[in-house]
Amino acid sequence: MWLFDDRTVPEVRIPPPGPLAQDFLRRDARFASPSYTRIYPLVVARGSGCVIEDVDGNLFLDFTAGIAVTATGHCHPEVVAAIRDQAGKLLHMSGTDFYYEPQIALAQRLAEMSPGPSPKRVFFTNSGAEALEAALKLSRWHTQRSRVVAFFGAFHGRTYGAMSLSGSKIVHRRGFSPLVPDIHHVAYPREIAGDESGRELVRMFEETLFKRTAPPEEVAAIFIEPIQGESGYRVAPPGSLQALRRLCDKHGMPLVVDEVQSGMGRTGKLFAVEHWGVEPDIICSAKGIASGMPLGAIIARDTVMDWPPGSHASTYGGNPVSCRASLATLELLEKGYMQNATERGEQLRAGLRDLASRHEALAEVRGLGLMTAVDVVSEDGQPDPASRDAVVQDAFKRGLLLLGCGECGLRFCPPLCVKASEIETALRLLEAVFADRRLVASAKA
Ligand code: PLP
């Protein structure tokens, strides 16, 4: 079914960057914004399933999914067919001012598939950051309150509201003030040691935040990633989201979950928050929602999504081609890819734990489904970002595409169609990277 099924993957014939890639890199260096964060010189020509072909004909095994986006795999034939069909019928009409079937059908599907019994409504955006902006505006509108609580380590995007909610890396904020005011950051639940029930978390809000800096009657929402993405695939502890749900109910503030990275089947459920059995007030979605087409959404309880006509809209949000790609994606998730995410995630973490038992440089295998990470640490167990970066580079040279996350994490977010044999290949390549001790030694030097 996939383009490269009859080829051996990976296959690195020409050490990257090859001659064609080098030409593109020269032009990119001259004309592209220097703010982009490219980590290795991969110039992509084609993608199919979990395989990327570069412009020089090298084949790579992709465990990045274009930063957790191509949920059903690169160019899934059913997603491509839906896009082609829709492109021949209607490219754009603006769902803000007019009606068309794909947007209505997708709103209904997302509303009906989202967790919890309450009726839902959907607002469409083009990206994750825009979904966060919409959630911020909706929370303030609905509550008529100004303050918002977010967490240290959070990454919510790069537009002003989303950037102001983020508390991950200083480079995201430095030099861009003034930011959106009245946003308070508190410690992510995982940082509160031994707090399985969420009792300490609630105490931090009630005894510290609400008494010292943010009166609860002024708080419009709590924003949380059930699994923090950019800061290291850190999973919120078992009781924490339930505790936040109770806290939000008590004070009449919406609970907003950012599922831009953790959603759309990646953790084995449509939304990660389902692992905690919690119904949020607003879910922010993007990335995997349309398997690579630009689309985002907020899905809110209909009692919360009560803003009037004209108060929020987007020319392109809910574009018909992206909506068709999303409908095809949802169908594939239900047909087996979500289940595959659970099974392949378990296989991956078991393999990584086995690897960590033999290589001291690997620590703390964690994650849910295909949102999995492991840390690279020094001999004395301290975070070792230089070695992590060297591992990512070496994996790339061997044909395995990885990204880092957090201070020293290796992030594994392959497409949800990844096969058992591809997980085995990735583990074998990593084994080779870690068996090469010179790599870690030279990175530390
Ligand atoms: N929220 C989370 C959890 C993310 O991981 C990201 C992107 O990485 C965003 C929001 C922003 O999404 P986008 O880059 O589509 O604006």
Side-chain angles (χ1 to χ4, degrees):
M1 164 178 133
W2 302 107
L3 199 57
F4 304 109
D5 270 352
D6 57 345
R7 301 267 301 273
T8 304
V9 178
E11 187 185 29
V12 184
R13 290 186 227 154
I14 304 170
L20 293 176
Q22 282 180 34
D23 188 44
F24 283 112
L25 294 175
R26 264 193 300 274
R27 286 162 58 195
D28 183 88
R30 168 62 189 82
F31 294 111
S33 163
S35 62
Y36 295 132
T37 52
R38 280 68 169 271
I39 42 174
Y40 38 75
L42 173 72
V43 184
V44 178
R46 291 192 295 183
S48 180
C50 290
V51 181
I52 283 292
E53 184 183 40
D54 79 358
V55 288
D56 291 289
N58 293 316
L59 296 185
F60 297 85
L61 187 56
D62 181 17
F63 269 46
T64 76
I67 328 187
V69 168
T70 55
T72 56
H74 293 283
C75 298
H76 191 290
E78 287 173 35
V79 175
V80 172
I83 292 169
R84 286 203 169 114
D85 178 62
Q86 185 58 42
K89 289 180 179 159
L90 179 73
L91 284 178
H92 173 80
M93 192 56 197
S94 192
T96 280
D97 289 276
F98 306 99
Y99 303 93
Y100 43 81
E101 197 205 339
Q103 181 173 323
I104 296 164
L106 182 59
Q108 181 174 354
R109 288 283 279 144
L110 289 171
E112 288 174 356
M113 287 175 78
S114 293
S118 317
K120 312 281 192 309
R121 289 180 181 274
V122 179
F123 175 89
F124 289 108
T125 70
N126 302 287
S127 68
E130 272 183 55
L132 269 293
E133 297 294 335
L136 181 57
K137 281 180 69 175
L138 180 60
S139 321
R140 282 184 164 175
W141 168 264
H142 173 69
T143 59
Q144 291 295 299
R145 300 173 181 181
S146 69
R147 297 178 193 272
V148 170
V149 183
F151 291 88
F152 287 116
F155 180 77
H156 295 295
R158 295 171 186 275
T159 51
Y160 263 88
M163 168 174 57
S164 307
L165 286 164
S166 297
S168 159
K169 285 191 195 144
I170 209 68
V171 68
H172 299 150
R173 296 162 66 103
R174 180 180 276 136
F176 296 119
S177 286
L179 304 187
V180 175
D182 279 358
I183 293 180
H184 304 263
H185 286 94
V186 296
Y188 191 63
R190 199 167 166 277
E191 302 305 313
I192 306 170
D195 186 29
E196 293 293 296
S197 64
R199 198 174 301 135
E200 289 308 312
L201 177 70
V202 169
R203 203 200 306 271
M204 174 185 72
F205 274 86
E206 298 280 21
E207 299 299 321
T208 308
L209 186 77
F210 292 164
K211 283 202 174 146
R212 294 178 196 271
T213 50
E217 69 278 9
E218 292 181 13
V219 175
I222 298 176
F223 279 67
I224 188 163
E225 291 163 89
I227 305 175
Q228 284 193 331
E230 297 307 298
S231 55
Y233 278 20
R234 299 170 346 139
V235 185
S240 56
L241 292 176
Q242 296 89 325
L244 287 178
R245 179 69 274 172
R246 288 192 296 274
L247 189 75
C248 285
D249 287 342
K250 178 177 166 199
H251 294 289
M253 49 185 77
L255 177 64
V256 182
V257 293
D258 179 346
E259 295 257 13
V260 167
Q261 191 156 170
S262 56
M264 304 318 290
R266 178 150 295 281
T267 67
K269 299 196 184 282
L270 188 63
F271 293 108
V273 71
E274 295 170 52
H275 292 279
W276 285 263
V278 160
E279 179 177 9
D281 297 286
I282 305 177
I283 299 173
C284 302
S285 178
K287 287 194 184 281
I289 191 168
S291 286
M293 292 296 285
L295 186 68
I298 60 169
I299 305 146
R301 295 188 196 217
D302 74 353
T303 50
V304 171
M305 194 172 275
D306 56 1
W307 44 17
S311 57
H312 200 50
S314 160
T315 298
Y316 289 120
N319 166 274
V321 185
S322 295
C323 286
R324 285 290 303 278
S326 184
L327 285 162
T329 298
L330 286 171
E331 217 169 297
L332 288 161
L333 293 180
E334 283 193 317
K335 271 194 206 154
Y337 284 169
M338 261 193 291
Q339 181 60 26
N340 193 53
T342 303
E343 289 165 15
R344 297 288 74 77
E346 277 162 16
Q347 179 193 354
L348 176 61
R349 282 187 298 284
L352 288 173
R353 275 193 288 271
D354 176 52
L355 210 60
S357 71
R358 282 176 288 109
H359 297 280
E360 278 185 352
L362 286 174
E364 207 197 328
V365 176
R366 58 188 176 275
L368 286 172
L370 290 171
M371 191 166 183
T372 285
V374 62
D375 282 341
V376 180
V377 296
S378 59
E379 270 166 25
D380 52 358
Q382 295 305 307
D384 192 348
S387 293
R388 185 274 312 276
D389 292 348
V391 168
V392 171
Q393 293 294 339
D394 192 47
F396 168 60
K397 286 181 192 139
R398 293 169 198 260
L400 174 64
L401 304 181
L402 293 178
L403 287 167
C405 63
E407 192 179 2
C408 61
L410 290 170
R411 146 172 32 188
F412 301 84
C413 53
L416 311 188
C417 63
V418 67
K419 299 172 200 152
S421 60
E422 289 170 325
I423 299 275
E424 277 165 28
T425 303
L427 290 166
R428 190 168 36 73
L429 290 165
L430 267 184
E431 176 83 61
V433 170
F434 280 95
D436 184 354
R437 288 172 173 271
R438 279 170 312 159
L439 164 83
V440 176
S442 66
K444 279 184 192 154

